[in-house]
Amino acid sequence: MLQAGQLVMLVSPKGKRYFRVLDPEDTLHTHDGKLDLADVLNRGFGATVNTHLGRPYSILLPTLYDLIKGIKRHTQIMYPKDIGYALMRLGIGPGKRVIEAGSGSGGMTMALAWSVGDQGCVFSYDRREEFSELCSKNLEWAGLASRVEWFNRDIKEGFLQTDVDALFLDVRTPWDYLEQAAAAMSPGAPIGFLLPTTNQVQDLLMALEEAPFGDVEVLEILLRKYKVNGERFRPDDRMVAHTGFLIFARKNGE
Amino acid sequence: MLQAGQLVMLVSPKGKRYFRVLDPEDTLHTHDGKLDLADVLNRGFGATVNTHLGRPYSILLPTLYDLIKGIKRHTQIMYPKDIGYALMRLGIGPGKRVIEAGSGSGGMTMALAWSVGDQGCVFSYDRREEFSELCSKNLEWAGLASRVEWFNRDIKEGFLQTDVDALFLDVRTPWDYLEQAAAAMSPGAPIGFLLPTTNQVQDLLMALEEAPFGDVEVLEILLRKYKVNGERFRPDDRMVAHTGFLIFARKNGE
Amino acid sequence: MLQAGQLVMLVSPKGKRYFRVLDPEDTLHTHDGKLDLADVLNRGFGATVNTHLGRPYSILLPTLYDLIKGIKRHTQIMYPKDIGYALMRLGIGPGKRVIEAGSGSGGMTMALAWSVGDQGCVFSYDRREEFSELCSKNLEWAGLASRVEWFNRDIKEGFLQTDVDALFLDVRTPWDYLEQAAAAMSPGAPIGFLLPTTNQVQDLLMALEEAPFGDVEVLEILLRKYKVNGERFRPDDRMVAHTGFLIFARKNGE
Amino acid sequence: MLQAGQLVMLVSPKGKRYFRVLDPEDTLHTHDGKLDLADVLNRGFGATVNTHLGRPYSILLPTLYDLIKGIKRHTQIMYPKDIGYALMRLGIGPGKRVIEAGSGSGGMTMALAWSVGDQGCVFSYDRREEFSELCSKNLEWAGLASRVEWFNRDIKEGFLQTDVDALFLDVRTPWDYLEQAAAAMSPGAPIGFLLPTTNQVQDLLMALEEAPFGDVEVLEILLRKYKVNGERFRPDDRMVAHTGFLIFARKNGE
């Protein structure tokens, strides 16, 4: 079932995750010993394969969640808790055409590309060349690059698309680009923002009042994990306290 | 651009939402006056249409979030905050085949059907006939029914599919159906659960230890909204404190 | 054990709370029937007394928590979750001399008066006469008025005390009164603030940088209640999402 | 103003805290150089004193919050967020007589002793001798030991006091000691518990139904800190996710 060139996730007995694009000549070196990728290829998803020291590794098909956790990053990436909610609010799904500005390391890009399917398209903008490159490599690795077009340009000059179904503006001063965003979007289409500080949210809210957007909502999402123990069930001791504020709005009609 | 039979969302000046399947003979009665759907059909998405009292209503294409908020329900439905995260953890995306047990009013069913696209398929089980019907009507309404197959049977007797990519088990005593679930799933595939009480989570965790599942995680998601006011920015006074605990695991390999 | 003039809390079978200053001539009218306060006086704390319809009411000595929940209010009062923490951070305890500005309805005043004991003193400032009066009536009712001195004046003109052990500044623009606060405080003494919006917190933090205060901390406290059911244990459906941000600092030494 | 034998808190330029009982012969060794305690004694609270390398240290009177943060501990101590709230719910204040079982390292003991003043009394029980000793040393250090009586005995055999105003039962299986607690408490008096797991809370709730207690409440408190930066205001990246569930009840009347 598996083929050379496919991305697999290998999980150690202790839960450590390794990602590999299958090359039958290649070997994975782990703390538990060596693993021949040729063996992995012969076994298939869901199967177990042993290292030369006899430790069993699971061969898994990565979910979107796994992919996002596994990407190479230069900066903090968006968290799954925020991505999952944003996809719903932005109406992302098979066949949609969506712009993302501020690709970063490509966590959100990957989620968008995963969700729009082969019929959809993601237009990803980042002024910083090193990010466009990193992001594009990450998408290549996940096998999703064909669904993304990269634009290494300053969005102050506008976006090259029109009538997109949704736009996600993940930049430091989004209030500077609201006109450009509106010009690229279909009337009534949703827009999303992620901002770390309250000062930025305040500035954005005031700018949105003057811009052709309505139906504004601001929120934050907290995720608390629990210890996996049915006899002593309780939350973890510590948690992430803040990633950012999510802001959603819709472009006004004509 | 719009066609008879299409689902539109009409938003009042105060933000109230109405959903209608377009019938040019039909009229929407609102607190702001009457609205001819023929006018809506002629205007198109993103446009504005006036009631007979001159109040402007926006014509919008509903996002997945809007659809879930808009469905007819008999029971509490899953919240978008939980659905968005579950979709990611379960690896739902275009082309996936997924089982859902405990369809309820169809909130999660709608999200699954939206995400798997025309190439994917949702197999939705509910023992209670009135729920299968309601759920199926809601999917019809959203134009997503062609992606769902309904099964009105007791899952104690097993699922009719094998090798599905993911399974979501939203029932009161999920520990009673773990073997049946495992039998239907592809090795390594993810499974998800939603449970309101800690007693249930404890029972499930203990049952999972004996069942062919690993990589268990338990968590809860809190969403806090903020007042949309850049000059007096602060959280809302009240929020939802609990919907349920989310539990994820993966079927073991062979 | 009970005496005329004492404050008692009477709790109905359903948990409804009534507060009364004991007057043996007086009668309490409830949904469960009439209750003669003479009977209450004869029974004592912890006892039960029946209404004329035979419904049992508990006679309880109110805790500080009960008193705060029970006061007459014109405005939102501080929540126990915030008060309890502030008392600790401000080092309030028996014998302390503390200033409060912005008495409001007297929730915090009551907590301060309770904690400083007969050897301590609370100096409570509010520019608005109706609040000083309400607050003073509430303290009278709780039997704590002898520990409080009221000042109905504009704190822009300064406080009348010096070398106080702590100061709580619960006003809308605290940054306007930092010099006055510092002049009244003992070196090294703690100061606290409660502010609802992030804009206010930002303004205060910037003002504190220029003022003779250090060791600044900002935080918020969330309290989530659970359903009292050991067999179906889970959080309540809804909770208070925001009361205010708490800010603490210390006056610099010389 | 300062005297030999008094406890002072010395705060470094970077905010590090040192506690010392003043002995004019003693020297404090810090990363910033040496500090003669004789100098500290001569300067007084709120003043600044220099190390032999010229770094300024503030001399502060510790608040209850500082004391609790500063105690020597063998186990996790209660957090100020939980202690502050519990003090209010238990009606602790000057002159109260209160029992604590499960002294641990003495965090709660210190808070109770601080709050009851010289007219009140804390009766602190711990079966484990090493904890009674540690706890008693910590109270000595804080100058509060005269308000506490220590009992190194198994509470299964009952408490030695009667008619106490409040009781705090911080043990692993509190349901084993409800009768003993009730026997020691004044009718109507409040009782508090702190438990880390939901399994324990469930067991306690079921036991309380059979015991002479009513008015039960369960809750948890979350505290989120913010970065002290008015121009980039935002929550800290991480926070404490769980300390324990707080349970409160009241002893029934007669």
Side-chain angles (χ1 to χ4, degrees), chain A residues 9 17 43 45-48 60-66 68 80-81 83-85 87-94 96 114-117 119 187-188 190 198 201-202 205-206 215-231 233 245 250 252-254, chain B residues 9 17 43 45-48 60-66 68 80-81 83-85 87-94 96 114-117 119 187-188 190 198 201-202 205-206 215-231 233 245 250 252-254:
Chain A
M9 182 168 76
R17 282 143 159 76
R43 298 285 286 141
F45 284 127
T48 290
L60 295 180
L61 176 66
T63 63
L64 173 53
Y65 178 87
D66 297 324
I68 288 170
K81 70 183 177 71
I83 291 178
Y85 190 79
L87 293 177
M88 292 195 68
R89 288 304 293 260
L90 296 174
I92 309 301
K96 299 289 183 181
W114 170 284
S115 304
V116 298
Q119 270 71 51
T198 59
V201 178
Q202 292 160 201
L205 291 181
M206 289 190 265
D215 211 6
V216 182
E217 201 169 87
V218 186
L219 55 96
E220 64 176 334
I221 292 176
L222 292 163
L223 185 152
R224 186 160 74 153
K225 292 187 187 169
Y226 282 71
K227 292 188 189 297
V228 179
N229 183 337
E231 278 162 37
F233 188 58
F245 299 98
R250 278 182 112 129
N252 291 339
E254 265 117 43
Chain B
M9 182 168 76
R17 282 142 160 76
R43 297 286 286 141
F45 283 128
T48 290
L60 295 180
L61 177 65
T63 63
L64 172 54
Y65 178 87
D66 297 323
I68 289 170
K81 68 182 178 72
I83 291 178
Y85 191 78
L87 293 177
M88 293 194 68
R89 287 305 292 261
L90 297 175
I92 309 302
K96 299 289 183 182
W114 171 283
S115 303
V116 298
Q119 270 71 52
T198 59
V201 179
Q202 293 160 199
L205 291 181
M206 288 189 267
D215 210 7
V216 182
E217 202 169 86
V218 186
L219 55 96
E220 65 176 332
I221 294 176
L222 292 163
L223 186 152
R224 187 161 73 153
K225 292 188 187 168
Y226 282 71
K227 292 188 188 298
V228 179
N229 183 336
E231 279 163 36
F233 187 58
F245 300 99
R250 277 182 113 128
N252 290 339
E254 266 117 42

Side-chain angles (χ1 to χ4, degrees), chain C residues 54-67:
Chain C
R55 310 272 166 71
Y57 271 58
S58 307
I59 307 169
L60 295 179
L61 177 66
T63 63
L64 173 53
Y65 178 87
D66 297 324
L67 290 175

